[in-house]
Amino acid sequence: MPTLTETTAVPAIAPADGSQKRILLRFTKEEEKNLRRKIDRYLMPLITTLFVLAFLDRSNIGNARIAGLQESFNLSSNQFDWLLTAFYISYISFEWVGFLWNVVPAHIYVTMCLFGWGLVASLQSVAFNYWSLFILRFLLGIGEASFGPGVPMYLSFFYLRKEMGFRTGIFMSAAPLSTAFAGTIAYFITSVADHTPIDSWRVLLFVEGIPCMLMACIAWNYLPDRPSSAYFLDLKDKIIVRSRYRRRIEVEGEQVSHTGSHGFKWEEAIEVLQDPKVYVTASMFFLANIAYASMPVFLPLILRDMGYESITAQGLSAPPYLVAYVVVLLTTYLSDKKQSRAEFIIFHASISAAGYLVLAISRDTLTRYCAIFVVASGFFSVVTVVIAWTVNNQSSESGKGTGMVMLNTIGQCGPLIGTRLYPESDAPYYERGMIICSIAMFIVAILAIMLRRHLAKLNAESYKEERYRLIDDEYSSASVPSIADEDEDEYDDEDDEDGDDEVSRYEVITVAEARQLREEHGFNIDILDDERTVDTILKNGAKLVAKKQAQTFNYML
């Protein structure tokens, strides 16, 4: 970790007259919580909705299958598996497009992705033979590869490291939620379409592609590129955001830019590519994806082979994913609360593996259906926490982007296996597929244990090498820290819901910003410009930053 004076000290912002007068905005932890809640309100519903639509368009071919797609084109089981594989071939091949999150403004980039894959998803309804549908599935994979894998990195522009797990859980919970909706929506659409002269599966695919094209307009107008340009944040909010960026640099050791600039640093990407830890998490993602990609597509078929009618199977596929949705949110909330990732991966991978064993061994319909609840809750939680863990343990924005690209490039090869685990020849129990998924999830648990031990060892070594850096006179020059506080608890990494909400926090502001804040808020805002007071606060803050840097572990376990 670099020393404070080398990297993390931020030059004082000079006023218009050229002097080095330093001005501080004082705000409280409660005000920062309010900012975080505001970002949650405006950003997370939109991101989650987009991911719901993406996962819906990806997996609805399973519902289309039992709605008559297979019979319309007289597809063999192997041909249908290749339709699934076509999506993942392009999805894997175009993972590199995720780098564009760091280059193209988000509202432009996401709008293009949304409209593109929404159009392709609807065009599947007019496919006239097997190969036309194969090509459309391939193109759909390109559109979705451009969006989903980069979302965790995009969220890291807005949230602190310790806040990322739950936010990743919110958007990733869209996967089980959309799968639940897929069954319910498919049930109603196909029920209505049965009374029309058009094939039910064509109506299903057409209707489910339209919302993406409509949401493209909303993304263009309402998706912020970075916090610094977010339309729903006022000047005070953006200054608090700037303070949070400083904390990521000075306390959490990240390398981020608060200016909202776009760019990519190849040296940071190369460093990530040389890190073995990236390949361990990618291997975990690969194994978890064998289950994650296969069960949502094949569950209606599995339920049908349990003895239920096709329409009933559509409806029964929803409850396990609604339960998984709640479990994912609870898991990621607790993961952030405890600031731990590995133990939750180990737990959920283990119970998911056990659930798959039950599906492979049991012949009782009710027991098998209940096991699906355990299996779905397990692998959806594992995938979500692995993604958060990968983002958490990269310090730079380019590193996060590279880590996500590697995670998905390797991890998304899992579906190439998963989509071939349930051939019709293995019906009705599909023992082979269930056992393979069980073994994969057990290996995920083992890898999580090994990686956690390795990271704990690295943290212990880092702690031994660090020394407290207590700074007295370093900031009498033109360089001052932008984070300062009167209470050492400011730098406690425990959840912000605990502690004194009135603890003061500070951020250096310009004279122009101070004037604008006075105009907007009058005297309901606390601005400090007394040189002696400012100097005392900055020095005390510098000492706490230096001490916290020596105490902060580099990796989240």
Side-chain angles (χ1 to χ4, degrees):
M1 181 179 293
T3 64
L4 184 65
T5 53
E6 287 175 340
T7 301
T8 61
V10 181
I13 304 173
D17 60 7
S19 70
Q20 287 294 321
K21 183 177 178 62
R22 294 170 295 184
I23 306 174
L24 296 179
L25 170 67
R26 176 159 55 190
F27 57 95
T28 64
K29 291 177 70 173
E30 180 61 30
E31 289 177 296
E32 185 175 341
K33 286 183 188 178
N34 291 336
L35 166 68
R36 190 176 62 211
R37 294 182 187 120
K38 182 185 287 189
I39 296 174
D40 286 342
R41 286 196 305 271
Y42 282 90
L43 186 64
M44 294 310 304
L46 179 55
I47 288 293
T48 302
T49 300
L50 299 183
F51 199 70
V52 165
L53 296 176
F55 207 83
L56 188 66
D57 289 336
R58 176 191 312 186
S59 59
N60 61 7
I61 194 169
N63 300 103
R65 180 183 192 178
I66 65 172
L69 168 64
Q70 193 164 8
E71 290 77 10
S72 291
F73 292 150
N74 194 26
L75 300 179
S76 67
S77 177
N78 185 59
Q79 284 179 310
F80 182 81
D81 290 345
W82 270 108
L83 291 178
L84 304 181
T85 304
F87 173 89
Y88 286 105
I89 289 174
S90 58
Y91 197 88
I92 295 165
S93 301
F94 286 84
E95 286 290 342
W96 60 268
V97 180
F99 285 123
L100 294 178
W101 279 96
N102 254 339
V103 179
V104 181
H107 77 284
I108 298 175
Y109 179 69
V110 172
T111 297
M112 293 189 297
C113 295
L114 269 173
F115 189 84
W117 93 62
L119 179 62
V120 172
S122 288
L123 286 176
Q124 291 178 108
S125 65
V126 297
F128 52 87
N129 59 21
Y130 168 73
W131 285 108
S132 62
L133 188 56
F134 183 95
I135 292 171
L136 289 169
R137 289 288 298 176
F138 184 89
L139 294 176
L140 183 65
I142 296 175
E144 294 204 19
S146 306
F147 172 73
V151 172
M153 181 183 66
Y154 173 71
L155 293 179
S156 72
F157 300 157
F158 294 82
Y159 295 102
L160 299 179
R161 183 187 188 194
K162 62 183 177 181
E163 300 164 353
M164 275 296 296
F166 184 56
R167 275 73 193 180
T168 302
I170 290 175
F171 99 84
M172 283 298 294
S173 65
L177 189 63
S178 65
T179 306
F181 285 160
T184 306
I185 293 172
Y187 174 83
F188 286 109
I189 293 177
T190 54
S191 297
V192 173
D194 282 341
H195 302 287
T196 70
I198 305 174
D199 291 335
S200 297
W201 66 268
R202 293 185 185 274
V203 176
L204 176 66
L205 295 178
F206 177 76
V207 170
E208 292 189 348
I210 292 175
C212 290
M213 291 183 280
L214 298 177
M215 285 300 296
C217 300
I218 295 176
W220 177 272
N221 290 290
Y222 296 104
L223 187 70
D225 298 332
R226 297 289 175 98
S228 57
S229 60
Y231 70 93
F232 52 85
L233 300 181
D234 60 22
L235 177 60
K236 183 179 178 181
D237 291 332
K238 290 177 181 178
I239 291 173
I240 297 176
V241 166
R242 193 167 72 204
S243 176
R244 285 160 60 85
Y245 268 92
R246 303 295 194 207
R247 195 177 322 151
R248 290 170 65 179
I249 296 170
E250 296 173 345
V251 178
E252 298 182 0
E254 295 190 47
Q255 303 168 36
V256 295
S257 169
H258 68 85
T259 61
S261 59
H262 301 273
F264 186 81
K265 297 180 179 179
W266 283 104
E267 62 273 15
E268 294 173 354
I270 293 172
E271 183 178 349
V272 172
L273 293 174
Q274 296 173 341
D275 185 358
K277 297 185 292 297
V278 172
Y279 299 96
V280 176
T281 52
S283 298
M284 294 164 58
F285 198 55
F286 167 84
L287 293 165
N289 258 328
I290 293 176
Y292 178 84
S294 59
M295 184 61 75
V297 175
F298 287 102
L299 182 57
L301 179 65
I302 293 170
L303 290 172
R304 189 188 68 180
D305 288 337
M306 287 183 184
Y308 299 104
E309 295 182 358
S310 294
I311 291 181
T312 304
Q314 301 273 28
L316 287 176
S317 65
Y321 296 115
L322 291 175
V323 172
Y325 168 73
V326 176
V327 171
V328 168
L329 290 179
L330 179 62
T331 297
T332 52
Y333 173 78
L334 294 175
S335 178
D336 270 2
K337 189 79 173 176
K338 295 193 67 176
Q339 288 296 282
S340 174
R341 306 294 186 227
E343 59 188 274
F344 292 94
I345 294 173
I346 295 165
F347 172 76
H348 282 292
S350 299
I351 65 169
S352 184
Y356 273 114
L357 279 180
V358 171
L359 285 169
I361 297 171
S362 176
R363 296 296 179 262
D364 179 70
T365 299
L366 180 59
T367 301
R368 286 168 59 80
Y369 184 63
C370 291
I372 291 171
F373 285 79
V374 176
V375 163
S377 298
F379 66 67
F380 275 117
S381 297
V382 167
V383 166
T384 302
V385 180
V386 167
I387 290 173
W389 205 11
T390 301
V391 174
N392 285 153
N393 286 333
Q394 297 298 331
S395 62
S396 67
E397 292 179 357
S398 296
K400 294 179 196 297
T402 306
M404 288 306 301
V405 167
M406 293 305 301
L407 181 80
N408 283 283
T409 300
I410 296 174
Q412 292 298 347
C413 292
L416 298 179
I417 299 175
T419 54
R420 296 179 171 277
L421 291 182
Y422 302 100
E424 289 183 345
S425 58
D426 287 352
Y429 300 111
Y430 303 99
E431 295 97 333
R432 181 177 58 177
M434 301 302 180
I435 291 174
I436 290 174
C437 286
S438 179
I439 293 172
M441 297 307 290
F442 270 126
I443 296 175
V444 169
I446 293 171
L447 289 176
I449 293 171
M450 294 171 59
L451 182 58
R452 189 185 190 282
R453 290 180 176 176
H454 178 64
L455 294 178
K457 181 180 179 181
L458 293 178
N459 286 341
E461 292 173 353
S462 175
Y463 181 80
K464 291 177 182 178
E465 294 173 359
E466 290 288 352
R467 299 176 180 178
Y468 286 173
R469 293 182 294 274
L470 302 180
I471 302 171
D472 260 333
D473 299 321
E474 291 289 336
Y475 297 100
S476 59
S477 64
S479 292
V480 298
S482 58
I483 297 178
D485 201 276
E486 296 168 343
D487 192 326
E488 186 171 340
D489 289 340
E490 155 68 12
Y491 296 104
D492 191 353
D493 275 342
E494 296 299 320
D495 194 286
D496 277 350
E497 298 301 323
D498 303 324
D500 185 3
D501 288 341
E502 296 304 316
V503 169
S504 296
R505 293 175 172 174
Y506 301 89
E507 174 64 9
V508 177
I509 61 175
T510 66
V511 171
E513 288 173 334
R515 289 171 180 165
Q516 185 175 340
L517 288 170
R518 283 291 187 213
E519 292 174 0
E520 293 177 356
H521 299 275
F523 288 96
N524 295 321
I525 194 163
D526 200 352
I527 295 175
L528 305 177
D529 58 2
D530 177 73
E531 187 65 27
R532 180 175 297 180
T533 302
V534 169
D535 192 57
T536 300
I537 292 172
L538 293 176
K539 286 182 178 180
N540 290 338
K543 293 178 182 179
L544 293 178
V545 168
K547 183 175 181 180
K548 184 59 185 178
Q549 281 185 318
Q551 295 172 325
T552 300
F553 290 157
N554 292 328
Y555 298 104
M556 185 174 290
L557 303 182

